[in-house]
Structure formats: structure tokens, C-alpha cells
Amino acid sequence: VGDLLGGGGMGVVFLADDLKHNRKVAIKVLSLALAGDAKVVERFGREARTAAGLHHPGIVPIHEAGSERGIHYFVMKYIAGRPLDEVLREQSVVSIPFATRVLSEAAAALGHAHRRGVVHRDVKPENIIIDATGRVLLADFGISKVVDAKADATTVRKLTQTGGIIGTPHYMAPEHALGLPVDGRTDQYALAVVGFQMLAGRVPFDDETLPGIIHLHINTAAPRLSALRPELPPHLAAAIARAMSKAPEHPVATMEEFGA
């Protein structure tokens, strides 16, 4: 086990050498604040195994999940690249071709998962990796399901205190925020918010408080992207606007169609 690569409310990620297979890997370790919750631990392993069954060039592969001396972890392929949030810190507004490529490649990966019954639930720039060749990959598939809106109050409080809000408020679809059942449209909404942010230089909904952000997602229409960036192709602005529609029947039927 080597350098610390990053961390959040759910846990921390280390760079490591897989000596058996002679490869670099990343190890995600479940936060000790959650490791004492048997239900969370059980779901952590189950969801990691589910995600390990996804095989797509746009999904970061999970090699294995395990536990040792009270430490719960899963091992995934190490991707030499940068998360999209790092790119956006350097240039808040990106080119139209770059944004289009990120959206279409991420949509293809999500479509693959949805066809196999897996909803990501936490699509955000931190989980979108741009590798050294410019390829787009999605990380943390299914792991955000370990603690969902039906989790007990103690677990929710622990996550809130550690910064690991269940799902990320700025990218949270209305039904997710309300604790209703989620499906592929939830990921489509979140990816559309990422697209809006890449093209407008800001997220569509922001507030000083978590309840304020969620209230906006549920009750307020997103600003018109074409007004913020007039040179956008109309079909691109329209696809993003449709995917962020509040009405469940309005988003595009599948991620493949959204990507197209």
C-alpha cells in the first residue's frame, strides 16, 4: 500500500502494488465511522461485488472486495488520469467538443450498467475520470447504494458529519432527494447537471445550505443553458434541459438515446 489518493465520507483511496498480478491498483477502504455498522458493511461488500460484474471500457473495473481485522475494502484498477472536478478547477468552462465527448462516453457506460440493473446514484465530476489518453471512465459504480435514503438516522448523521452526504446535493435528482425509488433517470439527471456545469461554468442549483440546494432541485426549473452560452448547438442545450426536467416522463428513455 502506497500513497493516499483521496477520500470522502465513504472512505479513503490508496495507491497500491498488486504483487500477485504485477499491476498498480487503487484500494478503497470503508470509513471507520461506518465500519461498525453491520448493515453498511454487508451492503458495502454486496454492492462492490455487483459493480465488479460490470465490464465496459468506460467503467473502472473492480477486481475484488474483502475484509481484514475490521477493515473493509475493495480493489479496483488504477487509472492514470485526472478526475473531471480537477479539470474544472483549472478551467471552469470547457470546450463544447470536450463536454460533448464526456457526456456521450459517460452515457454509454451508464447505459451498460442500467441494462444490468445497476444505478450509479452518485454521478458527479469527482467520479468521472479522464485517463491519460483522454478516455472517459466512471468510478464508484454502485458503491453509493451502500447507504441510501432509507438508511437509519445514526448512519445518516455519521455520513453528514464526515462530509459523505448520501449522493451529492448539487447533482441529486428530485426523486433521489425525496427518498423515492431511483432508476436510470436519476443518473441521467445527474449527468445532465455535470454537462450544465461544464458548459456554463457553474452548477444550475446552489445555495448556502443543504436543504436549500435540495429545495431548488425539487421545485425550481434550471436556468436556460443557451442563455448562459449562446454559441451552444441547440440539440446539446435541449438534451441537457430535457434530462433535467422535473417530470419523470420527460427525460430521454435511455442513456444511449441521451448520448446520441
Side-chain angles (χ1 to χ4, degrees), residues 3-14 27-29 31 85 124 126-127 140 162-164:
D3 294 339
L4 178 67
L5 295 176
M10 284 298 297
V12 293
V13 181
F14 294 96
I27 303 177
K28 186 160 191 174
V29 180
S31 166
D85 66 311
K124 58 185 177 182
E126 292 92 325
N127 286 335
D140 270 12
T162 55

Side-chain angles (χ1 to χ4, degrees), residues 1-7 11-19 23-30 44 48 60-66 72-81 129 139-140 143:
V1 177
D3 294 339
L4 178 67
L5 295 176
V12 293
V13 181
F14 294 96
L15 178 64
D17 290 305
D18 180 348
L19 302 179
R23 62 188 176 186
K24 292 286 186 184
V25 295
I27 303 177
K28 186 160 191 174
V29 180
L30 182 65
F44 182 80
V60 177
I62 291 179
H63 299 315
E64 62 178 288
H72 309 283
Y73 64 90
F74 63 90
V75 182
M76 53 192 165
K77 181 178 180 179
Y78 171 65
I79 304 297
I129 312 299
D140 270 12
I143 304 308

Side-chain angles (χ1 to χ4, degrees), residues 38-48 145-148:
K39 288 188 293 185
V40 170
V41 170
E42 193 273 332
R43 294 188 68 178
F44 182 80
R46 186 172 73 241
E47 296 302 341
K145 293 173 65 178
V146 170
V147 182
D148 64 14

